[in-house]
Every structure is written in C-alpha cells, then in structure tokens.
Amino acid sequence: MEVATLPMELWRVILSYLPLPDLGRCCLVCHAWRELVLSLDNTRWKQLCLGCPECRHPNWPSQPHLEPASWREALKQHALASRTWTQNGVELQSSACLHLFRRRKDRRVLHVGVGCEFETLRGALGAASPYDRVVLHPGVYEEQAELALKVPVELVGLGQLGEVSLLVCVEQQCPTARLCNLVFMPAWFSTVVYKTSWGHVQLDNCNFEGAQLQVRGPGTCQARFCSFSHGGSANFLGVALSLLDSCDFSGSDAASVTVDGSPVSERNWACKHLAALARTLTSEGSPTNGVPPRGSWGTGNAEVGSTFSAEDWGKAAWQRSTGAPLLGQDTVIEDGWGEDRLCDGELKSHEQGNNQASWDYKLACDRHSLAPLLKPQPDGSLPPASSPDPHYVIPGLLSLSQELQRDPEAQLLATSIQGCFVRRCVLRDGKGGVHICNYGQARLEENVFRGLNYAVRCIQNSTIVMLRNEVRECSASGVFLRLSAHGLIAENNIHSNGEAGLDIRKGANPIILCNRIHSGLRSGVVVLGNGKGSIRSNQIYNNKEAGVYILFSGNPVVSGNHIFQGQAAGIAVNENGRGMIIENVIRENQWGGADIRRGGDPVLRNNYICYGYSDGVVVGERGRGLIEGNHIYCNKGCGVWVMASSLPQLLANYITHNRIYGLAVFCRKDPENREPRVGDGAVQEWGGERRGGGDGARRGGAQENFNDDGEIFAWENDLDSEDERYSARRSISVALVEGNCMSHNGAVGLYVKTSEPLNVIGNLLNSNCAAGIAVLQSTQLTRLVANCTLDNSLGGVTVEKDCRVELRGNGIYDNKGHGVSFCGDGQIGENDVVGNRGNGIQVSSNADVKVLHNRVQPSKGGGAIVVLGPVKGVIGDNVLFQGHPGNKEALLHMDPSNESCVLNNNIILQHTNSCPSHTLWALENPSARPLADSTSGPSASGYSSRLTISMTARISATVESGCHNSGSMFCSIL
C-alpha cells in the first residue's frame, strides 16, 4: 500500500492506534513507512513512553517539565537498559538472538496475591525457575524472616506504583535479578531490604521508604527511576561498578548514597555491560547542562544563567556603575597631599606654563634603562606605562575540552568509569547527598543537590568525578573534600550554599575546572589545613565572603579563573596560607582584589586585578608573598596597600590608573576591638580570641565554620613540618618593591609612611596625579635605588622630616614640582635630576643629608640645588647644568645663615653668549640613570606581555619591629 494514497495526517491517526510491536514492523516495510512512523514522535511515541509502567518521564526527577529530544529514542534507551539483567551466561557470546529466544520459550509467569496460585512471596520464590516472572498483585506482603533469592527471577508489581508494598529483607544469592514497580519498606528486624554481595540486581521504578539498599562487591546494581524517601539510602561497599540513573533521594538522616571502600578486583558478569551503558550515557550528556557557554557571565544580583559581555565591565561601564571618575577627581589624600601642597617654586613654574623654548636646552635623558617601557608597541598602541587610558586585553576562560587537552591527569579522570556512577538524580531535603570514603570511587554527572546539609563529602583517599551537577542551598559546604581525597570537579553550578561552595582540607588535592561558584553566603572556595588542589578556569562571583579563601597552610594552584563581583575580597590568604595564584582575572570586588595577612605567603603572579571598589592588593599585618607581574588597575582605592610588619616582594607589576595611591606602605596594624566601617572587615573571633576584623575574606561578623560537624581540630598539629614556601624564591628580611611600573594613579605613585625598612629598586613612576614618591614617615632606612620618576603632577621625590632615606642611582625627570624635596636624614647620591619645573634638589628644615655625585639641570624658574634652613651635611661633587638661559635663579643656593652645611667640589656649567653650550652637554659616563646594570627593573624584551626582572641587584637589611600608630584613612580592609 502506497503512503501517498491517503493524506499524511490520516496515516498518523491510523498509526496512533498501533501497539509497539506493530510500529516496529511498519518501520521495516520501506523507507517512506519508516519516515512516517518516526514522525509520530510527539504523539504515539510519547504516549507509549509515558504509558510504560516500568519507567517515568525521561527527564524525571530533575527536569520533568522538559521534553526529551526524542520520545522514541527515550523509549529505546529504556528498553535496552531494562534488559541488562538478562545478558549473563555463556550462550550470550555465541548468539544473542538464540539466547533470548530460548529464554522466552521456557519462561513462566507466577502470580502472587489473594486468590492467585501463590499467596506469599516466599512460596512463589520457592517454586520459581530461572528467569521466571513473578507478578505481585496489589497488596502488602510481609515476611518475618529474611528471604533468599537463589535463582534469577523478575519481581514485578501489578498496577500503579504504590499498590504493591513489600516489608521484607531479601538477600540475593543468584547471578542476576530484576525488581520493578515495587515499594520497599523495612521489616521489623532490619532496615536493609535488599542486599547482594556477588550478583547483579536491576531496579526499575521502585520506592524505598525508610529502607536501605546494600550492594557489596563484586556485586553490582543498576537502579533507574527509583525513589529513596523518609531516610531511604543506597550503600555500596567495595563495588567495581554500579549505576544509579534518574533516581530521587529525599529526607535522609545520613548520606543518601554511601560509597565505601576501594573497588574490588573481582568482576561479575554485569560489569562490562554496565561500563558500556555508562559510556553511552556519558557521551549523551549535554556539555552545558546547568552551565552557560564559556565566556558568558552571571551578574552579581541576577538570576543564574543571565549573561553579559566583557565590554560591560570596561572603563566606561565601570564609571557608569560607580558614578565616579577613574582617578584624580574628588580624591581625598591623607595629610593634605592635594593640589594645595604646591610650594612657591612649583606655583611659579605652573604660572609660567609650558614654555617650549625652555625644553630646547634640556639635557637628553630618554635613554635610561626603563625608557623602552614608555615607547609605543610594534602595533602602534601605547604600553600601559604611557597610555592615559587602560587598554588591557583580558584573557578569556578556557573551555573544559581545552583544559583537558592540557592536563592528562584530568583527561584520564574525565573518561574513567569505576565505582558508583550517579547520573541525573535529585538528592534533596536531608542531611547528606553522596559520601565517599576509604578509597571509594564515584562519578556524579548531571545531578541536582539541594536543601541538604552537605551535597558531596569525599574523604580518606577516595576519588570523585563530578561533571555538570547543580549544588545549591546546602546549609554547610556544598562539596567537601579532606584526608587526601582527589578527583575531578568540572562544569558544575555551585551556588547559594550556607558555607563554602567547595571546602578542601587535610591533604585533599582535587582538580577543579570550569565551574560556576557563586551567590554563596560564605566563601566560594576554601582551602585550609594542608589542602591543595588545582582550581582553574572557574567563574567565582557574587559570594558574600572571599571568592577563594586560603588559610592554615592551604596550598592550592589557582589559575585562569574569573573572580568577580564578590562582596568581600576576591582572593584572601590568611593564617599561614600559601598557594600559587596565577593568571586570574579578579575584578569588581567590594574589598581588596587579593588580601594577604597573618602569615599568608602566596605567589601572586600575572593576574589582572581591576575595577575593584577598594584596593587592588592588600598586604596586611604579617603578610608575606611574592607579588609579581600583575596588572593592577582602575581600582577605586590604592593599587597595592601594604601594612606594618608585613614582608612582601612586589616585582615587575603594572600598577596603573588607580583612584588613590599606586602603592601605599603604611605603619598601620590591624586594630584591636575596632568597630568596622565601610571598606573594613568585620570584627570576629578565632578560637575564643577576639581579633580585629582585618580579614578580607569575611563580610558581616559571622564566623566561617572550619570545623567538620562540630569537631574541634588542632590546626597547629596539622601543619607540614617542611616549609616549602621559599623553595622557589629568594629569602628577604626587608619588604622589597622592585621593577614595578606605577603610573597614572590618582595620587602619589609610591606613598611611604612606615617605621620599618623598605627597599624600592628599579621602578618606573610616571604620570601620577601627585608626587612620584612621597616618604612621610620612615624611622628606619628606606632605600630608593635605580628608580625613574617621570612627568608626575607634583614633585618627583618628596621626603618629610625625621625620615631616613637613601636616594641613589635614580632618574628624576620632567616632574611638575621639585625633582627632589628632602627634609629628612640620609643620602642623595648619583642621581640624574633633569627638567623638573621646580628646583632640582631642594633640601630644607633640619635635614642631615649628603648630596653627592648628582647631575642636576632645572627647568626655567628653579635652582639646581637649593639648601633652605639649618641643614646639616655635605653638598659635594655634583654637576649642575643651567637650563634655559633666561633662568636667573642661582644653580647652587644655600641659606646665608647656614654654617653647618659644607659645599665641596661642585661643578656649575652655564651658557655663554659666544658658544651654544647646551649642544655640547650630555649625560655621559655614565649615561642617563637609572642604568641597566644597576637596576633589576622591567626588561624591554618582555614589556609587551608582562614585566620581567633580573636578579642582579639585591639589597638586604633587617626588619625591626615597631609602629607609630598614624591614622590612615584609606586602608580599606582592617
């Protein structure tokens, strides 16, 4: 019969009455008939799938409102999965068709119930032959002793699910069995209703109400569309492979699924069939279930799944969202460091304006070692040091496939299927989700965990693979790993949990890739107690506390993540935490982008820390760490804030376009018992000791729960005896600022107010909206060596009274105030000070200073070296060049009443009418400072990607304690 003889709509109506076997036969008629039968997917195939008593909606229980891609395919997969239990036996290898045909011919159907041939289940099982079908009619069946299942049988409940209930305890002693459409409730003598220790059991559409399923290796289990309620659970002990697919767990008073023990080496017949089925299910998993495409973003207060592009958080978007300019406007600077601090000479130079003729006589000083950082790049764009606007190419997130290609270990974990495989299940409204212990192995894929105390707990050298799960609304941590647990956690959506989204401790070492971890009431990821892990390419955002929190000797690798819109710090490293924090984008966080204090000692390298509502990096009291090669820009506070008793190494960072200081070094300790204010951490308690809330990881005043179910851990006993923190870096005893670029910041480039020694070497400080360097307090020696301060809005270097400063080998050029304004004690030696609008070097007040071997040329309207007041010291062996011929100021001026300052062997070069002397003058032997061999500053070859350093010039000193409590207005986290 030709299909074309009737309209297609009529054919569909006719075929909609056919049962499943007849539809299959119609598909074999011809290609046209096959296409016609396949077109019934949303009608007849849907009816057949939903009408099957052995299965439920294909997307139950996680997404029952969504239709599958194909109802026919869903029915096909169910039919294949439901026959796994019959595939044992030797004859299967010769001919599957003959195997099934023989079974079908010999199989009997036994009925159990009132008025049937068997009234009890025990009697039916005693009379059953292998592979018989036992049909239980509606009713309640209770046995007073344990039942032994000795031959392979199929137990099926007749009618709707719930009409057949079993109060039994069954021990399987046969190779295979199947149970379908049954409700299990615990017998009076045991809560375990079904157990097997070597055979395979298949469970389809069953309910376990307050009952436990127990599978012990080499036994296996396949459970589909089952419910475990009122404390029902599944326990797997040493299983090689078992599968839980599309099951619902609720109301558990312990873990819903427990995987205990290493998989046994012995395998039963079903393992290879379950492995093939599991690989099929894994390949069908959607790569974006619960996770948006890579590169999309969830906004801080939007619903999960909303996105915005990278352009939305550029400079203009940041200005619109904050209502504030990037820098320099309405900035309040401590101790009056604003525009009103201009001295008379500086005011005079501003009134004179930019007289281009004066620059015709200026010494050429653009060949110093840091000049390449200011030159245009090969593509014509300006480098960060000279660009008035931030132009950074933010790295995007890697996809999971890209991460797996780079990591063979993660790739092996992603393809491994061993232990318990839990797929597309819902675990809700109970104490625990999945608990893996004692070398157990589990794979969790596309599940939903919600309303639990914890979702997943992996401990004691166990292995877990979590792919594309949703973990939300847990009262404690979402995923908890400790005691050397490891595994792969990838493409999960972890959000809205009461504690940390991920809690890693006690030697656990997982690989965490491409997850969304957001909207938590605490931190996003916590690593403590010797926890490790590799945390890469995740989106961590909108958490109430730190996005990543490392403490108590936690030592993870945090790489390539986007950490943004947090309500506290982006990354916090406290209480002797360590870690490698590399190539992350940390942006738009309420507190410091990175917060290091109280023994924290991480490596912070090549990160983008930007657009924060406070400081970029905060190094608090007793903070350490290597901070190298980062781009720190467009933060509303300072670029980097360093507090007392800290010992950081800041190397080769770009610190630009921040609203206040580029780098501020303050003598300010975390206060005791201080009320929090805007930008401050809350006061909190640690082990009964009340401490100031100098913790950028926390917000509010609540305390993170770092104990496991109320246990009190003695963390000091858990710390490694070996200290590996300094194996990859040099040891220092003085805080070190070396090879950085600090430019276009809204106030001083480098602001120093400390009572501890400080080494500042080989830095470029240019185009800041106040002085390049300002030292307001330095009771111990601050060494400023081989730096370049260029084109800053006020002076080049300013040193206030009672400060101890050594200024050596620097280039100080073209600043709009004095080149050097020095009121403290110390030495100014071997510097080049050229083209500054005020005086070249001005020494005043009660300074005790040696000014030796400098080369100085003022601009029009200033002197080269000016000594004012009762200055003590020596001014000698300097070379002073006249600037513009019209400048009538004395190149070397000293207050006539000064009798304690010695002038010795200074050379003064002035213009003459007969010879254009300025054409013969040059900064030679040596060339313009800073010199290449005296600085470990940025390298010209590597400036396009990041600043690089050499290890040639190293300065060490001792750190002495002590702090003068000077009130700082802008420490945003105390």
Side-chain angles (χ1 to χ4, degrees):
M1 182 169 28
E2 293 293 334
V3 175
T5 57
L6 291 175
M8 296 296 294
E9 291 78 8
L10 186 56
W11 276 116
R12 292 191 179 99
V13 172
I14 295 173
L15 294 177
S16 65
Y17 291 96
L18 296 183
L20 180 59
D22 291 339
L23 283 177
R25 295 184 183 98
C26 291
C27 283
L28 301 177
V29 174
C30 64
H31 180 74
W33 278 67
R34 174 180 171 81
E35 294 298 324
L36 179 61
V37 173
L38 295 182
S39 68
L40 304 175
D41 191 79
N42 289 324
T43 54
R44 184 54 179 163
W45 289 110
K46 180 177 180 180
Q47 292 173 0
L48 292 172
C49 188
L50 295 179
C52 179
E54 299 180 357
C55 68
R56 308 191 192 188
H57 190 286
N59 288 325
W60 184 91
S62 59
Q63 295 175 318
H65 56 284
L66 295 181
E67 292 193 356
S70 170
W71 288 98
R72 186 188 66 84
E73 186 65 26
L75 185 61
K76 173 186 173 183
Q77 293 301 326
H78 165 71
L80 293 175
S82 64
R83 296 171 187 169
T84 303
W85 76 286
T86 65
Q87 296 179 13
N88 71 310
V90 179
E91 64 272 23
L92 178 62
Q93 299 177 358
S94 59
S95 174
C97 296
L98 292 177
H99 165 79
L100 295 176
F101 178 77
R102 185 185 65 80
R103 293 284 170 79
R104 188 176 298 117
K105 181 179 64 174
D106 297 337
R107 192 175 188 188
R108 295 185 302 164
V109 178
L110 308 180
H111 292 270
V112 181
V114 179
C116 300
E117 54 184 316
F118 299 98
E119 292 189 356
T120 65
L121 178 59
R122 185 183 297 271
L125 294 179
S129 299
Y131 300 97
D132 282 348
R133 182 182 181 97
V134 179
V135 178
L136 290 89
H137 289 247
V140 177
Y141 299 86
E142 183 175 4
E143 297 292 339
Q144 300 300 315
E146 186 176 274
L147 287 175
L149 202 60
K150 297 183 179 181
V151 296
V153 294
E154 182 179 21
L155 301 181
V156 179
L158 188 64
Q160 297 295 320
L161 179 63
E163 294 183 5
V164 179
S165 299
L166 302 181
L167 281 74
V168 297
C169 176
V170 180
E171 180 180 2
Q172 180 178 330
Q173 300 175 1
C174 57
T176 183
R178 179 174 184 251
L179 290 76
C180 178
N181 208 39
L182 301 172
V183 176
F184 288 90
M185 292 183 287
W188 64 271
F189 54 89
S190 175
T191 59
V192 178
V193 297
Y194 198 94
K195 53 186 176 181
T196 180
S197 59
W198 66 278
H200 171 73
V201 59
Q202 180 165 330
L203 302 167
D204 291 323
N205 198 30
C206 293
N207 282 2
F208 290 78
E209 296 185 359
Q212 296 181 25
L213 168 68
Q214 185 180 98
V215 181
R216 185 183 298 272
T220 56
C221 172
Q222 179 186 1
R224 302 176 65 252
F225 301 107
C226 294
S227 294
F228 294 77
S229 59
H230 306 297
S233 62
N235 301 316
F236 299 90
L237 308 175
V239 296
L241 183 60
S242 286
L243 174 62
L244 299 177
D245 187 10
S246 302
C247 296
D248 179 69
F249 295 83
S250 62
S252 64
D253 52 6
S256 298
V257 179
T258 300
V259 183
D260 189 350
S262 176
V264 297
S265 58
E266 183 181 357
R267 300 288 191 269
N268 70 8
W269 67 268
C271 282
K272 62 179 181 180
H273 301 288
L274 290 177
L277 179 60
R279 290 190 181 94
T280 301
L281 296 175
T282 300
S283 64
E284 292 173 357
S286 170
T288 58
N289 180 35
V291 180
R294 309 305 297 161
S296 63
W297 302 88
T299 58
N301 54 3
E303 295 293 330
V304 174
S306 60
T307 62
F308 61 93
S309 66
E311 294 180 357
D312 296 335
W313 56 274
K315 176 169 67 77
W318 187 75
Q319 288 177 310
R320 290 193 299 269
S321 63
T322 60
L326 281 177
L327 50 83
Q329 300 184 20
D330 302 323
T331 299
V332 181
I333 305 175
E334 187 184 10
D335 295 331
W337 276 93
E339 296 292 339
D340 57 344
R341 282 295 301 262
L342 289 172
C343 62
D344 293 341
E346 292 170 308
L347 287 171
K348 183 189 302 181
S349 67
H350 276 284
E351 291 170 359
Q352 290 171 345
N354 292 326
N355 188 350
Q356 183 61 37
S358 65
W359 298 105
D360 295 337
Y361 296 88
K362 186 172 77 74
L363 293 170
C365 55
D366 57 355
R367 296 182 180 272
H368 55 83
S369 62
L370 301 181
L373 295 174
L374 300 167
K375 295 180 179 179
Q377 299 180 4
D379 60 359
S381 62
L382 294 176
S386 57
S387 174
D389 296 315
H391 295 292
Y392 291 95
V393 179
I394 302 298
L397 289 164
L398 296 181
S399 66
L400 179 58
S401 60
Q402 291 172 322
E403 283 286 359
L404 294 180
Q405 289 174 3
R406 304 195 321 172
D407 190 339
E409 181 184 359
Q411 188 173 14
L412 181 63
L413 287 168
T415 56
S416 66
I417 300 176
Q418 194 171 15
C420 184
F421 183 13
V422 183
R423 175 183 181 267
R424 297 181 65 180
C425 295
V426 172
L427 301 95
R428 57 188 174 88
D429 304 327
K431 180 177 181 181
V434 178
H435 179 72
I436 309 115
C437 58
N438 295 324
Y439 295 89
Q441 297 188 25
R443 182 184 182 96
L444 313 179
E445 191 169 317
E446 299 182 32
N447 303 286
V448 176
F449 300 84
R450 69 170 186 265
L452 302 165
N453 183 24
Y454 67 88
V456 178
R457 175 173 293 174
C458 185
I459 62 174
Q460 298 168 333
N461 296 282
S462 297
T463 303
I464 185 170
V465 176
M466 286 186 66
L467 300 176
R468 299 184 295 275
N469 301 277
E470 182 180 15
V471 178
R472 61 185 175 96
E473 298 171 6
C474 295
S475 58
S477 296
V479 180
F480 183 42
L481 301 102
R482 68 178 176 101
L483 297 175
S484 301
H486 63 283
L488 173 65
I489 301 173
E491 285 197 335
N492 301 282
N493 186 10
I494 303 172
H495 65 97
S496 308
N497 296 290
E499 297 288 343
L502 281 164
D503 188 314
I504 305 168
R505 63 178 81 182
K506 294 274 192 172
N509 190 17
I511 301 173
I512 301 169
L513 304 177
C514 305
N515 301 279
R516 285 200 303 159
I517 306 170
H518 62 100
S519 307
L521 301 182
R522 296 289 188 186
S523 301
V525 180
V526 169
V527 186
L528 68 156
N530 291 321
K532 300 176 183 178
S534 181
I535 304 169
R536 309 197 303 265
S537 297
N538 301 280
Q539 297 181 59
I540 305 173
Y541 62 96
N542 195 31
N543 295 287
K544 190 174 182 181
E545 295 175 359
V548 177
Y549 192 12
I550 306 170
L551 68 165
F552 296 126
S553 292
N555 191 16
V557 175
V558 184
S559 173
N561 304 280
H562 284 205
I563 304 171
F564 59 101
Q565 294 181 354
Q567 299 179 38
I571 295 179
V573 187
N574 299 334
E575 305 295 344
N576 300 310
R578 292 177 281 175
M580 298 284 291
I581 303 168
I582 304 172
E583 296 178 354
N584 302 280
V585 177
I586 306 172
R587 61 179 177 86
E588 295 181 77
N589 295 286
Q590 291 292 329
W591 296 355
D595 186 281
I596 306 167
R597 64 184 73 228
R598 291 198 289 274
D601 190 11
V603 173
L604 192 70
R605 179 177 291 141
N606 299 341
N607 301 279
Y608 290 81
I609 304 174
C610 55
Y611 298 104
Y613 295 94
S614 184
D615 303 318
V617 176
V618 175
V619 184
E621 185 179 357
R622 295 189 292 111
R624 300 178 67 96
L626 173 62
I627 304 171
E628 180 181 12
N630 302 282
H631 295 269
I632 306 170
Y633 61 96
C634 292
N635 297 286
K636 288 190 69 175
C638 303
V640 179
W641 184 280
V642 179
M643 285 187 280
S645 303
S646 59
L647 205 62
Q649 301 179 57
L650 282 87
L651 308 179
N653 301 282
Y654 279 110
I655 307 172
T656 65
H657 301 92
N658 298 286
R659 193 175 180 189
I660 311 181
Y661 309 116
L663 167 62
V665 183
F666 266 90
C667 181
R668 179 73 177 261
K669 293 185 178 181
D670 293 343
E672 301 286 341
N673 302 328
R674 189 172 75 86
E675 290 299 323
R677 59 178 172 83
V678 175
D680 289 349
V683 177
Q684 45 202 299
E685 297 178 2
W686 281 87
E689 177 186 359
R690 187 172 179 85
R691 299 189 179 184
D695 190 349
R698 307 216 182 138
R699 182 179 182 86
Q703 180 176 344
E704 185 102 43
N705 179 19
F706 294 127
N707 295 331
D708 179 16
D709 288 343
E711 297 179 55
I712 304 299
F713 288 120
W715 293 110
E716 62 274 11
N717 297 328
D718 294 332
L719 306 183
D720 288 333
S721 58
E722 298 182 10
D723 192 349
E724 303 172 351
R725 285 173 285 180
Y726 309 115
S727 60
R729 72 185 89 158
R730 57 192 152 130
S731 177
I732 62 171
S733 56
V734 177
L736 176 63
V737 180
E738 181 176 8
N740 303 279
C741 173
M742 290 170 265
S743 63
H744 296 93
N745 296 289
V748 178
L750 170 60
Y751 186 95
V752 179
K753 191 174 184 182
T754 181
S755 297
E756 296 171 352
L758 176 66
N759 291 329
V760 182
I761 307 170
N763 301 279
L764 173 63
L765 303 101
N766 70 291
S767 304
N768 296 288
C769 293
I773 301 175
V775 183
L776 274 69
Q777 177 180 320
S778 178
T779 55
Q780 297 194 49
L781 182 63
T782 295
R783 304 193 67 179
L784 307 177
V785 179
N787 302 284
C788 178
T789 59
L790 172 70
D791 193 30
N792 296 286
S793 294
L794 298 182
V797 179
T798 298
V799 179
E800 292 293 331
K801 293 179 59 177
D802 302 323
C803 295
R804 294 182 57 202
V805 176
E806 177 184 356
L807 194 65
R808 180 177 297 277
N810 302 279
I812 304 170
Y813 306 122
D814 301 334
N815 298 285
K816 296 179 177 59
H818 299 313
V820 177
S821 176
F822 201 97
C823 301
D825 301 332
Q827 183 171 337
I828 305 173
E830 300 178 0
N831 303 282
D832 290 340
V833 186
V834 175
N836 300 283
R837 298 285 182 85
N839 298 319
I841 299 176
Q842 177 175 293
V843 184
S844 59
S845 187
N846 295 315
D848 185 353
V849 63
K850 295 180 180 179
V851 183
L852 305 173
H853 303 288
N854 300 281
R855 297 181 294 191
V856 187
Q857 183 188 44
S859 181
K860 183 177 181 180
I865 298 179
V866 176
V867 180
L868 303 176
V871 174
K872 301 177 183 178
V874 177
I875 313 293
D877 298 313
N878 301 285
V879 180
L880 311 181
F881 300 88
Q882 185 181 11
H884 192 274
N887 183 6
K888 303 304 181 183
E889 298 286 341
L891 291 181
L892 178 60
H893 170 80
M894 186 172 67
D895 195 322
S897 61
N898 188 317
E899 299 179 353
S900 56
C901 184
V902 178
L903 303 179
N904 186 25
N905 295 331
N906 296 287
I907 300 174
I908 300 176
L909 300 178
Q910 293 182 318
H911 301 289
T912 62
N913 294 329
S914 61
C915 178
S917 304
H918 68 280
T919 60
L920 304 176
W921 297 341
L923 297 177
E924 295 177 344
N925 298 321
S927 61
R929 297 182 177 99
L931 304 176
D933 59 350
S934 65
T935 175
S936 57
S939 166
S941 61
Y943 78 93
S944 60
S945 58
R946 70 177 192 272
L947 297 179
T948 59
I949 63 169
S950 64
M951 301 297 180
T952 56
R954 301 300 180 215
I955 298 176
S956 62
T958 58
V959 176
E960 300 178 17
S961 60
C963 177
H964 301 288
N965 190 9
S966 58
S968 165
M969 296 176 62
F970 293 105
C971 181
S972 62
I973 304 173
L974 291 175

